[in-house]
Structures are given as C-alpha cells and as structure tokens.
Amino acid sequence: MRLTTVFVFAAHLALAQFTYVLNSQIPVIINQDTLTLPWTGGLNAAQFNTLDLDFDGKEDLILFDRMANRVITFLNVDNQYIHAPEYEPFFPAETEGFMILRDYDCDGRKDLFTKVIQGVKVFRNISEAGQPPKWEPYLFYIDAQNGKSPVLLTKGFSSKINLQMQTDDFPAIIDVDGDGDLDIVSLQYPGGSRIEYHRNFSMERYGTCDSLDFERITQYWGGVEECDCGVFAFGEPCSTGGRQKHAGGKSLLVLDVDNDGDMDVLFSEAECTGIYLLTNNGTNENPLFNSASPFPANNPINILPFPTAYFEDVDFDGNKDLIASPSIFGREFLQTNLNQSTWFYKNSGTNALPQFTFQQRNFLQGNMIDVGDNSVPAFFDADADGDLDMFIGTFVNGNRASIFYYENIGTRTEPVFKFFTDDVIGLSFNNFTNIKPQFADVNGDAKTDLVFTASNQFGTNTNLYYVANTSSAGLNFSGQQVQSLNFPIPWNAENVLLTDINDDLLPDLLVGKLNGSLEYWQNTGTATSPNFKLTNSTYLGLGSSILRQNLSIAVADLNADGKPDLVLGDQTGRLTIIDDFKNKTEASGTTNIIYNPLTETYINQNLGGRVWPSVANLFNTTKPAIVVGSTLGGLQILQHDESQALPESPQISVYPNPVIRENSTVINISVDRPAFVYLVGTTGQQLGSPILLQGQQLYQFRADGLSAGIYILHFYINGRSFARRIVIQ
C-alpha cells in the first residue's frame, strides 16, 4: 500500500487577528561568530547618513537603500548599532533616488533632501524628543504672482527654475564658500559631464541660514569635464578621441581632502567601477581642477558598478570615515557582489586631514544574514530532529545561483540557526540564476521534495524544477537529479507557489505575475504526473496593476481557525493577508499588521522592496511566524504577538472516523507539532515507512488500497508515543 498525500496548512485553534512584531532575537551563527544584526534585512545600495533619532545626544545611523526605496535605521547604543525598525516608517514617503540629511536651518536637527521627478524636494525636520521623527515639506518662494513651489528652486540664466538632475545623479550638499549656509554642487542637466555650483545666498540676504535661496553660479565649476571612466578634460572640452558621457548618472562627494582650505571632489559615474579624486588647486571662490586619480590611493574603491562615497563617522571615534556603496536601482551585472557592497575605510587621521585605511567590503552586512539579492526563504525539518531548518534561495552566489542552508541547532521553541553551506546539493553547477525554493510533494510518494523556480544565466528560460526526496523523515537527495515540471515562466520576476486550491488532493499553482495579477493553474493530471491548466487569470479579482507588481505568495493558517490564509507581497515591500482566501471572491485583506511601539499602532511597513514571504512555526506556538526575504538579500521575522505556547499534550486530529469508502477515501490527519506517524494494519504489521508530519498542517491521505478493518496510527512526538484507532468500512 502507498499513501499519497497533498497538504495545506491548517490548525484547530481559536480565531485571532493578523498582528505581528518584528523579532530580531533568534541567534544566527556563521563560522562560530554570532551575528549582531542577523534579521535586519540586508543591504545592497545603501546611502549613509547620521542623525540623532532618539535625542540622546548621540548620532544614530540612517541608511537609504536605493534598490528597495527603504529607509533603514540604527540606534547608537553604547557604541554599537542596534537595528531600530520602528523609526523607519516615519521618514517621508516621497523619499526616493537619494536621501541626504543636512541641517539647513542651523536648529541642530538635520533636514532631508531627496530626488523627485520635478527635481529636489526638501523636508524640514520638526521632530521632538520622545516623539517619532516628523517632517514638513519646505516650500520655495517663486514670486508674488506664482506663489510657492514644492521643489527646490535656483536662479538660472534669468529666472528661478527647478534644480533638475538625472534620475540616478547624487549631488553634494555642503557649505562650499564657508559662509554658514548650505550650497549645492551637482551635475549639469540634462545629461552633462560638467559640474554646476548653486550658491545659497541665505546668509548674505537675510543674515540667517534658514532660507534656501539658490543661484546657479556656473555650469563649469573648476573647469573640469568628464570624458570617460577616469578620463577628464581640464580647461577644455573632451577630445574627439574621448567618449563624452551623457546618459549615465554621476555622484559627487565634496570635502577638503588635503586640509588646504578649499573643497576637493570625489567623482564617480554609472558605468565606472572607481571613484576619482579631483584635487582643487585653486580656491573655493575660484576652484581649479587639473588632475584626477583613483581614490583612496593606497587601496582604491572598485565596485561594479557606480560606487558612491559617503563621509560619516560610523565607528564612534569622532572622525568621519569613508564608506562606498553601489548607487544602483537594480542588478545590472552578474558579477556585482551585493553581499559585499558596503566598503568601509577607517579615518585614522582627523576630520580636517583624513587618512583613509581600508577595513572591509561588508560593513554592517557582515553581521547580517545577507545572501546578495532576492533572498527567498523556505523552511523544513531537514535533519528530522523536530525543529525547522532554514533555506534561502538567491539571485546569484558568485555568478550562479544557489541555496543557502542554515541548520537549526536550537530547539523547536528556541531556534538557533547555524550556517552550514551556501550551495545545497551543488545546485550552482546547474548555472541557474534567481532560485526561489519551496517544499512540497510533487511526485505523489508522500515525501516532501525540494521545488524551485530558476532561470538561466541570462535571466531567461525560467521554469519550475524539483529534486526528489527519497526520505520520509528529513531530506535525502542522494543520487537525485534536477527535474523539470515543464512549467515555463515568461519573466524571472514572477513567482510560483504549489498549494491545493480546489481540495482534490493534488498540488495546484498560484502564479504571481510581473504585472500584478494572480493566476490559478489547476492540476488536471495526477499525483505522480502533474499537469497544470490555467483556470483563472485574475484569481480573487487580482488583475494587472501598476501599483502592485511582482506578486509573491504564501499560504498558511495564520490565525488558527483551521482555514488557510493567503499572504501577498509585492514590489513596495509590504504584505497583505487575506483571511480564508478559498472562500473569497476578491482580495480584500489586512495590511496594517506590524506593531510600532512608538505609536502603539499597527502599520503597513516596507520590508525591503520586492519581498518573498514564507510561513514557519519557529517558536512552537499556536500561530506561526512570517519570515520575509527581499531584494536586499536579507530576512526579517514577523512573530505573531497574540500567539501562545502549545499545550503540553499534543492535539491530534484524525477524521472522518470511521471512513466509509462509499462516501470518501480520504483520511485527514493534523497535529499541532512535528510528529512521525506510521500505520499498523489488522494483523499488527507496519504498513509503509514512517512519515514526518510538520506541525499545524492538514495532511490528506488516500485510503483506496486499505481493506475493511481496524487500523492503528502511531504518532511519535518528542520521544513520546501516541496512538489513534481508525476504522475502514
């Protein structure tokens, strides 16, 4: 007899709301070191700023990651950074492109400059001690007739205009002329390679620094023009042999590198890997650049592509350090190493005369789970020890994708994850990219297989694959090959979940599309030979939407009512939960699910741009956690804040009982914690191999091959044995 099983998540406990707290307390160990920031969510293209968030007199660290449009906040606690996600939602929603924090009005609170379509927008910091961060938009006076503008203005050739820049430019906002107000140094717009200087006349005209009254002084600041990567023309146009840049963005960091009283420039651009020092041989009033060299000279920055430099004290010694990170919106090259994308150079000199010494390529990242980008989590008890182990798919690991494996060396109530390998079963040798794993039985043998989508190295020919598991307990892939389920996927950004939608004991597919729609593909084949047919192209009414794209999906019983719920993620980094989704016709759901202790309310929070949710009962409680991966390559844990510890005695459910074969041949089994189960027949003989049941899931078994009689189901749970009698008629 062979039992064929397909499962959906279920439990049999009281209904509760979808309310979660961000949990960062589960220890993670890599190479004997316990990470200090494991569940921060990863970094890719981080921009560095400092700001006193909690008004304790110490500068905290504020990052903005361009690839996820996410603000990431860290508190300085005894000279150690502690991730403080509760502050992140209170930065302006319009923040995009870049975030630069500078105190323009000299009130001791740094204000915020960011890129918008019309140019640059400024938000004044009006935060108060004991309150969440608070900002108000700065309005720029045009004239008596036209009123005020919401974007930053500068006087052009004759009148005030928007200070425009390319989408991926990164300007310098600093007091260039030393008069006490903030000036702006940016790149010529549109598409130029010369530097513009916009002088702030606040001090000259009003005697205070609290106005932003700009005039464009020159479009050829310092007499320099970039021609190619590391190639500059000084005092003359680029030669015809050079390749003058027009399309790519550029970044500027302006500071006095050599302590000679004038401002130098660190210059980089989108198609280059290095940053170049333009030394000012003139003055601040009349700058003169006539040389360019890779910087720092002793160990130059080399990031593919588009490194941008930041000058902030990040090691608590009072001296501003140099940090570099790629200034990109998305992955452009397989070779870009996004889990080592924050280069840190310690300033061993002074702020007036810095001396930068290279320290590491993964500042902060080295203390996080960070697999690069597109971290897709999945959980399974791989070693059959009763607790859940962690798997993470990624876009590339090196130049090829793989799956990371963290073994749970803790317990089912207090997990501890230890890094074991970054290439489960050598999947990298298949030359895949963008692996997204999950676990399900796809060949009808009652064993849970490794299932994943993956693309070739060009990001095309995406398909659904599996590796058969030969073990009823844990995972054993010995001798097994990668097999295709012959389900081609048009775009590698689309997401597939196997789950039984129509309760026919066969795994169907939900497909989250690039355009934001959700498709239901019914399995019209068999348990051993699945075949998928498109049944609904707008499942739950989810059609194409520019506001909701790259849909990702998880299915689980989240609120312990015995009915599966649907978790949706998208490119905004936010989650939506749809209760009892199989009985719904539209996708109305709950979005405010994360508790914020600053306001004592539940909010909808960006967890890292494109996100991939997975559900796992990490704490052996009545309601599982949601673990979220993202485009930033890390993970965050949402722990249900109304969940309770499981009771001492396990809850085991077997129904219907008796099984009347004229009515049904399905046996439903669920248990509230991991268990091994095997069937004993009427003669006392064990039928088949023991099967591992994950906790809080509903397993459905076919009983077609069982003759009439009395059978015993034996459950082994945490060293104890439990039995349930079942009658077949």
Side-chain angles (χ1 to χ4, degrees):
M1 182 199 71
R2 183 176 70 183
L3 295 180
T4 300
T5 177
V6 173
F7 58 87
V8 294
F9 287 81
H12 309 284
L13 302 166
L15 178 67
Q17 294 180 349
F18 305 116
T19 54
Y20 299 86
V21 293
L22 288 167
N23 184 313
S24 59
Q25 302 305 310
I26 296 179
V28 177
I29 301 171
I30 298 179
N31 299 329
Q32 309 306 316
D33 295 325
T34 300
L35 304 184
T36 59
L37 299 166
W39 307 103
T40 303
L43 301 174
N44 283 353
Q47 301 172 7
F48 283 73
N49 292 275
T50 57
L51 171 72
D52 186 0
L53 275 174
D54 54 358
F55 288 85
D56 66 350
K58 296 181 292 186
E59 290 287 272
D60 305 302
L61 186 62
I62 318 298
L63 306 184
F64 175 73
D65 200 295
R66 181 177 271 189
M67 280 186 64
N69 226 41
R70 179 189 172 201
V71 176
I72 309 170
T73 53
F74 300 85
L75 290 178
N76 175 355
V77 180
D78 298 327
N79 289 346
Q80 181 177 350
Y81 288 124
I82 304 298
H83 184 214
E86 62 270 22
Y87 289 92
E88 296 170 6
F90 298 101
F91 283 74
E94 297 95 324
T95 305
E96 60 182 53
F98 63 74
M99 181 181 73
I100 299 174
L101 299 179
R102 302 287 186 267
D103 182 9
Y104 81 82
D105 55 2
C106 305
D107 66 353
R109 296 173 294 190
K110 292 183 180 178
D111 309 296
L112 190 150
F113 296 74
T114 189
K115 178 75 176 71
V116 293
I117 294 176
Q118 300 91 345
V120 177
K121 197 164 186 178
V122 181
F123 292 87
R124 182 169 177 255
N125 187 346
I126 56 173
S127 306
E128 297 180 1
Q131 300 295 321
K134 189 174 182 180
W135 313 84
E136 65 177 15
Y138 183 99
L139 299 178
F140 293 83
Y141 179 73
I142 303 174
D143 53 39
Q145 180 178 358
N146 296 292
K148 295 182 178 181
S149 166
V151 296
L152 190 146
L153 301 177
T154 187
K155 184 178 179 181
F157 294 113
S158 58
S159 60
K160 290 184 177 181
I161 59 173
N162 296 3
L163 199 165
Q164 274 285 16
M165 56 190 69
Q166 295 192 146
T167 302
D168 48 352
D169 280 353
F170 193 93
I173 302 176
I174 188 171
D175 182 7
V176 172
D177 54 8
D179 65 353
D181 54 30
L182 290 177
D183 309 301
I184 297 178
V185 182
S186 61
L187 272 297
Q188 184 180 358
Y189 180 84
S193 295
R194 296 182 176 184
I195 300 174
E196 295 186 345
Y197 171 45
H198 300 263
R199 183 178 178 183
N200 187 353
F201 284 88
S202 178
M203 291 298 296
E204 289 87 344
R205 291 172 179 163
Y206 314 112
T208 65
C209 60
D210 62 357
S211 297
L212 296 172
D213 192 356
F214 293 101
E215 289 189 16
R216 186 177 61 200
I217 302 303
T218 177
Q219 292 182 299
Y220 197 25
W221 193 60
V224 62
E225 182 172 1
E226 189 224 13
C227 308
D228 205 337
C229 290
V231 179
F232 297 85
F234 302 101
E236 59 185 7
C238 293
S239 67
T240 56
R243 182 169 60 91
Q244 184 176 356
K245 300 287 183 178
H246 291 287
K250 299 164 183 64
S251 73
L252 303 171
L253 175 62
V254 174
L255 71 161
D256 185 0
V257 172
D258 49 12
N259 196 27
D260 64 351
D262 54 46
M263 293 294 183
D264 309 298
V265 174
L266 297 183
F267 186 106
S268 63
E269 76 130 278
E271 297 183 22
C272 303
T273 63
I275 290 179
Y276 298 90
L277 170 63
L278 306 178
T279 302
N280 187 353
N281 293 304
T283 64
N284 287 329
E285 291 73 22
N286 295 291
L288 177 63
F289 302 111
N290 52 28
S291 66
S293 58
F295 191 83
N298 57 350
N299 198 335
I301 294 164
N302 183 22
I303 297 176
L304 177 70
F306 197 10
T308 293
Y310 308 92
F311 189 47
E312 298 284 357
D313 177 19
V314 295
D315 60 0
F316 316 109
D317 65 356
N319 294 326
K320 291 187 176 182
D321 308 293
L322 182 72
I323 310 100
S325 182
S327 196
I328 55 179
F329 290 98
R331 176 181 287 279
E332 300 177 36
F333 303 96
L334 290 180
Q335 297 86 349
T336 301
N337 189 347
L338 289 175
N339 63 359
Q340 294 190 352
S341 62
T342 49
W343 289 35
F344 169 45
Y345 293 79
K346 179 179 176 61
N347 182 359
S348 55
T350 64
N351 289 330
L353 185 59
Q355 298 292 324
F356 298 118
T357 304
F358 176 75
Q359 300 293 307
Q360 62 185 111
R361 290 182 172 86
N362 61 345
F363 177 67
L364 296 179
Q365 291 174 296
N367 273 306
M368 303 176 185
I369 295 174
D370 192 330
V371 300
D373 56 334
N374 290 21
S375 49
V376 182
F379 292 84
F380 191 77
D381 186 3
D383 50 7
D385 65 351
D387 53 41
L388 290 174
D389 306 297
M390 181 168 65
F391 299 79
I392 310 172
T394 186
F395 195 93
V396 293
N397 177 23
N399 293 334
R400 300 175 292 187
S402 66
I403 296 177
F404 287 62
Y405 169 47
Y406 291 76
E407 181 184 354
N408 186 352
I409 63 172
T411 67
R412 62 170 60 95
T413 58
E414 296 181 351
V416 177
F417 291 108
K418 184 175 182 179
F419 172 75
F420 187 83
T421 180
D422 65 355
D423 195 8
V424 170
I425 62 173
L427 277 183
S428 67
F429 292 100
N430 291 273
N431 293 318
F432 288 131
T433 58
N434 206 20
I435 291 179
K436 302 173 184 176
Q438 58 188 291
F439 291 95
D441 178 15
V442 294
N443 57 6
D445 63 355
K447 301 177 179 66
T448 303
D449 308 305
L450 171 63
V451 187
F452 61 93
T453 58
S455 310
N456 64 17
Q457 285 194 311
F458 301 101
T460 57
N461 296 330
T462 305
N463 215 311
L464 184 62
Y465 301 93
Y466 78 98
V467 182
N469 180 17
T470 61
S471 174
S472 298
L475 296 177
N476 186 351
F477 301 121
S478 178
Q480 301 302 304
Q481 302 297 317
V482 174
Q483 302 182 61
S484 174
L485 283 167
N486 297 313
F487 187 78
I489 302 164
W491 304 98
N492 67 6
E494 297 181 338
N495 302 289
V496 177
L497 177 74
L498 281 92
T499 186
D500 184 7
I501 297 297
N502 58 353
D503 297 324
D504 64 353
L505 309 186
L506 298 176
D508 306 304
L509 299 180
L510 289 178
V511 181
K513 302 294 288 182
L514 180 70
N515 66 4
S517 61
L518 183 63
E519 294 180 346
Y520 162 39
W521 292 71
Q522 182 181 347
N523 186 350
T524 59
T526 65
T528 58
S529 181
N531 180 65
F532 303 107
K533 179 182 178 181
L534 180 60
T535 301
N536 190 336
S537 61
T538 57
Y539 186 64
L540 296 177
L542 292 170
S544 176
S545 171
I546 61 173
L547 301 178
R548 178 195 63 247
Q549 299 179 337
N550 306 109
L551 273 187
S552 55
I553 320 108
V555 169
D557 179 14
L558 297 174
N559 57 1
D561 67 351
K563 302 172 184 177
D565 310 304
L566 183 68
V567 187
L568 295 177
D570 59 31
Q571 88 287 358
T572 69
R574 293 167 172 83
L575 300 180
T576 299
I577 299 176
I578 302 171
D579 176 44
D580 186 18
F581 76 98
K582 290 184 182 181
N583 292 313
K584 297 290 174 62
T585 58
E586 60 181 27
S588 58
T590 304
T591 56
N592 294 326
I593 62 174
I594 299 176
Y595 181 73
N596 188 284
L598 297 180
T599 58
E600 299 182 341
T601 60
Y602 291 90
I603 63 172
N604 190 12
Q605 187 162 339
N606 180 1
L607 297 171
R610 284 175 292 163
V611 289
W612 291 270
S614 178
V615 178
N617 192 1
L618 296 179
F619 307 101
N620 202 40
T621 52
T622 55
K623 303 178 185 67
I626 303 175
V627 183
V628 182
S630 75
T631 192
L632 297 184
L635 301 179
Q636 295 185 80
I637 297 175
L638 279 62
Q639 181 179 6
H640 202 294
D641 62 359
E642 294 183 359
S643 193
Q644 301 174 356
L646 291 172
E648 181 177 352
S649 298
Q651 304 296 309
I652 300 172
S653 177
V654 180
Y655 65 94
N657 193 9
V659 177
I660 302 174
R661 286 180 295 180
E662 292 181 358
N663 299 332
S664 172
T665 60
V666 174
I667 304 173
N668 299 280
I669 302 175
S670 67
V671 62
D672 63 354
R673 64 203 73 191
F676 286 101
V677 63
Y678 66 87
L679 185 68
V680 174
T682 55
T683 63
Q685 180 182 6
Q686 179 176 319
L687 302 176
S689 300
I691 296 174
L692 174 62
L693 306 182
Q694 302 292 332
Q696 296 176 317
Q697 296 182 15
L698 174 65
Y699 288 80
Q700 297 178 308
F701 295 94
R702 295 186 184 278
D704 310 65
L706 297 177
S707 57
I710 298 175
Y711 296 83
I712 303 296
L713 284 166
H714 283 281
F715 296 84
Y716 283 92
I717 302 173
N718 199 25
R720 301 167 62 191
S721 177
F722 303 86
R724 295 292 186 271
R725 188 179 72 166
I726 187 166
V727 178
I728 306 294
Q729 296 180 350

